[in-house]
Amino acid sequence: MASRKPKTIQHLDKVARDKLPNITTKSFEYYVTMTKQLHAQAERCLLQGTYEDAYIQFSRAAVILGELIPQRDEFVALDEPSRYDLSFELAALINEMEKAKLTLEQRIRDWDTAHLSTTSSAQAPGS
């Protein structure tokens, strides 16, 4: 069992949003590529078992793709198949992020249970 309490989903969401790029400084294609790189990085984190880092990268990619990129004029000008591809990528990101979230929430519950029972045992009379 981990010695430190796992970070909450709210904390991880805040970390993800704290380091978002200014979406207007580079090309549209740059940010689309960035989301794919963040997605790949998140998948590598999952393979390494670093679910907190994976969740942060999935979240960053999802915010860029789902909230920031659609604000660009180039997004509005995309043809329907291209928009579909981006929405499909966003759905995949969200799906994988939700799976990581379930694992993280379970780890928090397990940590709480382990530490609650340790605290209760330490406070029990006659121990």
Side-chain angles (χ1 to χ4, degrees):
M1 193 63 51
S3 60
R4 73 162 177 86
K5 184 170 184 165
K7 303 278 191 263
T8 65
I9 298 303
Q10 294 80 11
H11 176 82
L12 297 175
D13 284 334
K14 181 182 179 327
V15 170
R17 286 184 174 271
D18 282 347
K19 296 190 177 182
L20 290 174
N22 177 346
I23 199 76
T24 62
T25 59
K26 299 199 181 197
S27 73
F28 179 80
E29 293 77 20
Y30 174 87
Y31 295 106
V32 171
T33 300
M34 175 188 271
T35 62
K36 292 176 182 180
Q37 291 170 341
L38 288 167
H39 190 166
Q41 185 177 357
E43 289 176 345
R44 285 190 299 275
C45 289
L46 287 178
L47 291 174
Q48 296 167 355
T50 55
Y51 283 81
E52 289 177 354
D53 293 335
Y55 182 86
I56 290 168
Q57 301 312 321
F58 282 134
S59 183
R60 280 186 184 135
V63 169
I64 293 168
L65 192 55
E67 295 177 26
L68 301 180
I69 285 178
Q71 296 174 16
R72 297 280 300 249
D73 292 338
E74 298 95 327
F75 180 82
V76 176
L78 286 176
D79 61 15
E80 193 165 326
S82 297
R83 279 191 191 203
Y84 177 81
D85 289 346
L86 291 178
S87 66
F88 186 79
E89 174 71 15
L90 179 60
L93 281 167
I94 291 171
N95 183 47
E96 292 183 62
M97 185 172 72
E98 286 299 314
K99 288 179 188 176
K101 179 180 176 181
L102 291 173
T103 299
L104 291 167
E105 289 172 337
Q106 184 61 50
R107 287 182 177 182
I108 291 168
R109 285 190 297 275
D110 291 347
W111 191 94
D112 286 344
T113 300
H115 286 77
L116 179 62
S117 62
T118 302
T119 304
S120 298
S121 298
Q123 294 175 354
S127 1

